[in-house]
Amino acid sequence: MRQQLFFNPTMRDIPQGADVPSHQLMLRAGLIRQTASGIYTFLPLGLKVLRNIERIIQEEMEKAGAQELLMPAIQPAELWEESGRLKDYGPELMRLKDRHDRDFVLGPTHEEVITSLVRDHITTYKKLPITLYQIQTKYRDERRPRFGVLRSREFIMKDAYSFDTDRSGLDTNYERMYEAYQNIFTRCGLDFRAVEADAGAIGGKGGTHEFMVLSQIGEDTIAFSDTSQYAANVEIAAVLDTYEKAVPPAASLEVIDTPQMKTIDDLTAGLNLEKASLLKSVLFIADEEPVLVVCRGDHEVNDIKVGNALDAREVRLAEPDEVQDIMGTEAGFVGPVGAPSQVKILVDAAVKTISSGICGANEKDKHYQNVHPGRDFPITEYGDYRIVQEGDPSPDGQGKIRFAEGIEVGHVFKLGTKYSEALGAVYLDENGRSQPMVMGCYGIGVSRLLAAVIEQHHDENGITWPGSVAPFDVHLLVLNPKQDDQHELGEQLYTRLQDNGYAVLYDDRKERAGVKFNDSDLIGLPVRITCGKKAGDGIVEVKRRRDGKMEEVHVNELFSYLETLRK
RNA sequence: CGGGAUGUAGCUCAGCUUGGCAGAGCACAGGCAUGGGGUGUCUGGAGUCGCAGGUUCGAAUCCUGUCAUCCCGACCA
């Protein structure tokens, strides 16, 4: 590609509102432009990278036995009615009507479409298992799009769906996809971790992993062991119950005045106590039922664990007026002692260690002291309801937990029969019995993956593409096209490089050398070949973007030298 | 959805407090010089000051409404 006419607007200024490196560089290097909030145009340079990533994904998907198809972005709302998700999905689902006033949605995912398709055309175990995938544009009306294409409302996703006759078939498919994902992210040059993730209400236990690209700007937190392979999303990372039950104090329960002391910090400051000796009581509403979760003052409640323990569809913090109605006082003074009997109480295991604690008295500006769990309020069972912390023992018993931030680029998920049952995707088994298909789904955020690559591959001057996804292989620069020897050598190399299979971006613009160098660093192709002063002697300068390694090379040795650079 | 902020040339922004000719740098077009890290210089083109209404002799500036965008938080199969 001759750069003179290449549509590649680069920017010197950092665009307003671009806060993370990948977003800034994608705008500055001319990969994308914003069209609306959370909606982007991919420019020619960005599209080339996208296509490279897609090709890697396609190759690994085919290798894993998946077949590509393409489903529509616009889906009839009835399908979503059928699966029950028209209501469940909420305002993130983009909805629209056609001219006949029929309801449609812009697909945020395609379980409904694929399941109804397979339902209509596969009816026997002889046609199973099958895995289908697509690379397609998805729509989610995010409350707050941010970080460019990392969290956008229209984005490109690879989604695969497997259909098996039974659970063990699903397990096999899941393993194959898991491996394919590792291949894909490795080939994209990413430093990533596969972590255990929240299976939610539908997936059953142990049936889902997220693939996280390690990055400080990541919106997810990974809890991993400092000695073993254990890694999980902090949302689900288990906390081991290694706590000893404390002995009860001699003193009995007593009400004390705690004016304006509504938070753990207020209480520790006001009463001069350790956080760990306080009981934190938080009221949740789980599927319309009030649940009071009690943990230690130095811990945080994990609402996902609460939801999973109760097998609840929705868990949310109670609103202030709900707290008042249910507990008879405001948040900050609620506690398990004397709580209304219709309120279910869940107690985190770490609370065991409290011998003589403080908790809310369910009365404004009052707390109890000398509280002993089990003595002063009943406990049927302790559970794991808190967020794991750095330094906690790893759940596999090896090492301690550390945290890292990650960008979720992939998610593999054992769906089971939720959608096949809802949409009637059944097959006849060997005995002629009707059985629901057992499904898995496997997503990769393709456009997000592109941004994640840049997050891990850039320096202060621009992008430093891994060769596997780079939009071109070589950036060929002619510093002064007015010099005949430079110009002629440039033209000759442009042709010869392409004849030898290199994708070449050829900077033939009438620009200053500095401009070309800066744009070249910004765009970040793996190798730069410069025709400069020594062009007359057949000598060019070859520089590797990644590490700045630079050599003057005679054109006769150029191709063998390029081969050595690939290593 | 709650809180905060911003909309002026392609980009980054000044001008608004105190109403009076629409501005700068970069970018763009042309000339001259320069020609290995965003060079210098001269000339030029480019804006319905987000939109609508109001106040006023006069509005980018004040008022009301509205739309868009961004940031923080909450949320995220």
Side-chain angles (χ1 to χ4, degrees), chain A residues 438-452:
Chain A
V438 182
M439 293 173 59
C441 72
Y442 317 92
I444 292 180
V446 181
S447 34
R448 172 182 286 187
L449 179 56
L450 197 170

Side-chain angles (χ1 to χ4, degrees), chain A residues 160-178:
Chain A
Y161 305 88
S162 67
F163 297 84
D164 276 278
T165 55
D166 56 24
R167 195 81 197 178
S168 78
L170 170 61
D171 291 344
T172 306
N173 254 321
Y174 186 87
E175 280 302 313
R176 290 171 85 180
M177 282 293 150
Y178 187 101

Side-chain angles (χ1 to χ4, degrees), chain A residues 221-226 232 388-392 400-404:
Chain A
T221 302
I222 303 163
F224 65 97
S225 164
D226 59 2
V388 75
Q389 291 181 340
E390 283 194 284
D392 281 334
K400 289 192 184 321
I401 288 296
R402 293 271 167 269
F403 283 178

Side-chain angles (χ1 to χ4, degrees), chain A residues 383-554:
Chain A
D384 173 14
Y385 304 116
R386 73 170 172 95
I387 297 173
V388 75
Q389 291 181 340
E390 283 194 284
D392 281 334
S394 174
D396 64 356
Q398 300 176 55
K400 289 192 184 321
I401 288 296
R402 293 271 167 269
F403 283 178
E405 273 68 54
I407 301 165
E408 182 191 345
V409 290
H411 199 159
V412 292
F413 206 105
K414 291 181 187 174
L415 282 176
T417 55
K418 175 184 162 110
Y419 294 96
S420 49
E421 281 176 9
L423 294 156
V426 297
Y427 67 96
L428 292 182
D429 66 13
E430 295 91 323
N431 304 314
R433 283 178 204 276
S434 186
Q435 306 274 7
M437 297 180 194
V438 182
M439 293 173 59
C441 72
Y442 317 92
I444 292 180
V446 181
S447 34
R448 172 182 286 187
L449 179 56
L450 197 170
V453 170
I454 297 174
E455 285 297 331
Q456 286 195 345
H457 295 275
H458 70 273
D459 61 19
E460 65 278 10
N461 296 319
I463 304 168
T464 57
W465 291 114
S468 57
V469 302
F472 296 91
D473 301 317
V474 172
H475 205 171
L476 177 63
L477 269 52
V478 172
L479 290 189
N480 186 353
K482 283 186 190 165
Q483 300 281 321
D484 288 342
D485 45 5
Q486 288 189 29
H487 174 74
E488 279 162 25
L489 185 62
E491 290 291 325
Q492 187 198 112
L493 285 178
Y494 180 47
T495 306
R496 284 184 58 201
L497 282 162
Q498 291 182 104
D499 289 347
N500 281 270
Y502 289 89
V504 184
L505 181 62
Y506 174 31
D507 194 346
D508 57 344
R509 296 175 301 168
K510 293 170 183 57
E511 290 287 352
R512 304 278 303 188
V515 174
K516 296 189 178 194
F517 286 136
N518 281 311
D519 272 346
S520 178
D521 286 345
L522 183 59
I523 291 168
L525 302 181
V527 174
R528 183 172 83 202
I529 300 175
T530 306
C531 299
K533 280 176 179 152
K534 296 182 181 171
D537 304 324
I539 292 173
V540 295
E541 184 181 285
V542 182
K543 184 175 179 182
R544 185 157 66 186
R545 178 69 179 90
R546 171 157 52 94
D547 55 6
K549 180 178 152 70
M550 186 153 75
E551 294 269 350
E552 289 195 338
V553 180
H554 194 276

Side-chain angles (χ1 to χ4, degrees), chain A residues 144-192:
Chain A
R144 186 143 96 81
R146 63 183 124 178
F147 300 155
V149 299
L150 273 173
R151 175 164 297 269
S152 52
R153 296 194 293 174
E154 175 181 295
F155 57 99
I156 297 167
M157 188 163 169
K158 187 283 304 180
D159 48 325
Y161 305 88
S162 67
F163 297 84
D164 276 278
T165 55
D166 56 24
R167 195 81 197 178
S168 78
L170 170 61
D171 291 344
T172 306
N173 254 321
Y174 186 87
E175 280 302 313
R176 290 171 85 180
M177 282 293 150
Y178 187 101
E179 279 169 34
Y181 274 40
Q182 291 196 305
N183 294 342
I184 289 164
F185 300 129
T186 302
R187 285 179 66 183
C188 288
L190 290 166
D191 182 13
F192 67 96

